[in-house]
Amino acid sequence: GTGLSILSALQDLFRLSKSKVEKQLQIISVLQWVLTFLVMGIACTLILMYILCTDCWLIAALYLAWLVFDWNTPKKGGRRSQWVRNWAIWRYFRDYFPIRLVKTHNLLTTRNYIFGYHPHGIMGLGAFCNFSTEATGVSQKFPGIRPYLATLAGNFRMPILRDYLMSGGICPVNRDSIDYILSKNGSGNAIVIVVGGAAESLNCTPGKNSVTLKNRKGFVKLALRHGADLVPVYSFGENEVYKQVIFEEGSWGRWVQKKFQKHIGFAPCIFHGRGLFSSNTWGLLPYSKPITTVVGEPITIPQIDNPSQKEVDFYHSMYVDSLIKLFDKYKSKFGLPETEVLEVN
């Protein structure tokens, strides 16, 4: 009896220790991504400049020579690595929230797709985890489909960061890159575009489900030019993981944010999450709230080399209606009341 009690106590202690270790690994995995998002590009640039001024300058010089040679690779589909996409760290990243990917329809490998991802949130954590890693099984759920998460082109001008992003299948969100993937990379490609972009990030806050979409029609025009099917994607919980100071329209704070957005491409947000050592303190770590990304039904799009504004408006309206239906169908399953309405701005 005493031996069994000791064994049971040791097993409980082992499980408790294992749980604590896993939690710490989850925190570390999320922290490294937050730091990557916020400072890796600038930090790598400064380090490279410093190395050029040291005895190790040849290493930096060789990398810069490689950078010049490799400059256009991000515009040509990048250089994804299945090894990087399958790192164990991404599974800890997934489990921290947790993040889940829900498939509602099959996707044909003979077609190309443009996924419209909503909402942006502060960092697009659900978009990254689901489509730039294999943590939620995107390749198993959509066999034969290669997802490319599109992000700011400026990120690919940053040394080291550009290579890190490309390894996950991330590409610049510009016409050259998207045209190449949809026209010169065969079929079975899915460009994931966070349609609301920086403007949408300025309005994300817990408890609010709104998207910036009414005047965002460029992705529809691209879909028509390439005959790529449109797929609405909504991430329930994306807005819940950070709290943000929202500046009202006309305020000095919103003016500064819009100036940054116009000239630099991103909007500086004043936000906070939890602290590194306690969920009761403020910090850069997101709150561990569940994020569920639902991939909706594809909308078949014809190929029209020079679509008219009327045609763009027609398919844009179809897309908006499809996104609203997707939200309404799944909102109650993921913690929202039946009365919740998706606000389309």
Side-chain angles (χ1 to χ4, degrees):
T2 303
L4 289 175
S5 297
I6 293 173
L7 180 61
S8 178
L10 288 173
Q11 288 175 337
D12 290 342
L13 182 61
F14 176 76
R15 280 194 291 267
L16 184 62
S17 299
K18 185 180 179 181
S19 176
K20 286 184 176 180
V21 169
E22 287 185 348
K23 187 62 181 177
Q24 293 305 313
L25 289 172
Q26 290 170 13
I27 290 173
I28 291 170
S29 68
V30 174
L31 179 63
Q32 68 83 26
W33 168 244
V34 171
L35 294 178
T36 296
F37 183 90
L38 295 176
V39 302
M40 183 177 177
I42 295 173
C44 288
T45 302
L46 293 175
I47 291 171
L48 196 65
M49 291 172 62
Y50 171 75
I51 294 175
L52 280 170
C53 301
T54 69
D55 293 339
C56 298
W57 65 269
L58 184 59
I59 296 174
L62 288 172
Y63 177 78
L64 289 173
W66 159 254
L67 195 61
V68 172
F69 174 78
D70 194 56
W71 191 253
N72 289 323
T73 298
K75 299 177 183 178
K76 296 180 179 180
R79 188 170 45 246
R80 74 173 55 216
S81 165
Q82 286 303 115
W83 175 65
V84 173
R85 288 175 61 89
N86 281 286
W87 277 353
I89 195 172
W90 305 132
R91 295 192 290 275
Y92 290 111
F93 182 98
R94 171 200 66 197
D95 293 340
Y96 172 86
F97 296 92
I99 295 174
R100 180 185 170 204
L101 180 65
V102 176
K103 170 186 174 180
T104 62
H105 291 78
N106 292 324
L107 298 181
L108 298 175
T109 57
T110 54
R111 300 286 293 173
N112 283 324
Y113 302 90
I114 292 181
F115 287 15
Y117 184 91
H118 312 269
H120 183 286
I122 296 292
M123 296 185 185
L125 294 163
F128 169 77
C129 185
N130 286 307
F131 302 113
S132 294
T133 81
E134 294 296 331
T136 56
V138 63
S139 293
Q140 287 73 42
K141 291 177 180 176
F142 299 102
I145 301 298
R146 294 180 298 277
Y148 293 85
L149 176 60
T151 188
L152 290 175
N155 288 325
F156 296 89
R157 301 186 188 104
M158 301 284 191
I160 310 300
L161 176 63
R162 67 189 291 277
D163 302 288
Y164 189 41
L165 295 178
M166 283 193 293
S167 68
I170 300 177
C171 68
V173 62
N174 57 30
R175 182 168 172 174
D176 289 344
S177 176
I178 294 173
D179 282 348
Y180 183 91
I181 292 170
L182 294 180
S183 63
K184 299 179 181 179
N185 201 41
S187 60
N189 302 292
I191 304 285
V192 184
I193 300 177
V194 186
V195 178
E200 191 173 84
S201 69
L202 297 178
N203 295 315
C204 68
T205 188
K208 185 174 184 179
N209 288 283
S210 66
V211 296
T212 301
L213 183 57
K214 279 184 180 178
N215 297 315
R216 300 293 175 109
K217 300 180 181 181
F219 73 105
V220 178
K221 191 171 184 178
L222 280 169
L224 285 165
R225 287 181 61 247
H226 293 286
D229 293 349
L230 289 171
V231 182
V233 179
Y234 197 86
S235 259
F236 295 90
E238 185 72 64
N239 284 346
E240 307 298 316
V241 296
Y242 279 110
K243 295 178 181 178
Q244 180 183 188
V245 177
I246 304 293
F247 293 102
E248 295 182 2
E249 290 292 338
S251 66
W252 68 269
R254 183 53 63 98
W255 179 84
V256 170
Q257 289 175 323
K258 286 187 173 181
K259 286 296 181 183
F260 264 84
Q261 179 188 337
K262 180 179 179 180
H263 296 293
I264 300 179
F266 75 93
C269 302
I270 299 178
F271 65 92
H272 74 84
R274 52 155 291 182
L276 182 59
F277 301 107
S278 172
S279 59
N280 296 320
T281 58
W282 288 11
L284 290 177
L285 279 177
Y287 294 104
S288 52
K289 303 286 186 180
I291 298 174
T292 305
T293 302
V294 184
V295 180
E297 182 178 5
I299 302 167
T300 303
I301 302 293
Q303 184 172 5
I304 305 173
D305 291 336
N306 293 296
S308 67
Q309 189 59 50
K310 185 176 180 180
E311 289 167 327
V312 172
D313 290 343
F314 173 76
Y315 285 101
H316 181 267
S317 177
M318 283 183 62
Y319 178 86
V320 174
D321 290 344
S322 182
L323 178 64
I324 292 172
K325 288 177 182 176
L326 178 70
F327 177 85
D328 288 340
K329 182 176 180 179
Y330 289 94
K331 60 187 178 184
S332 61
K333 294 182 180 180
F334 303 118
L336 297 178
E338 282 290 347
T339 55
E340 184 73 19
V341 175
L342 179 62
E343 181 183 329
V344 181
N345 299 313

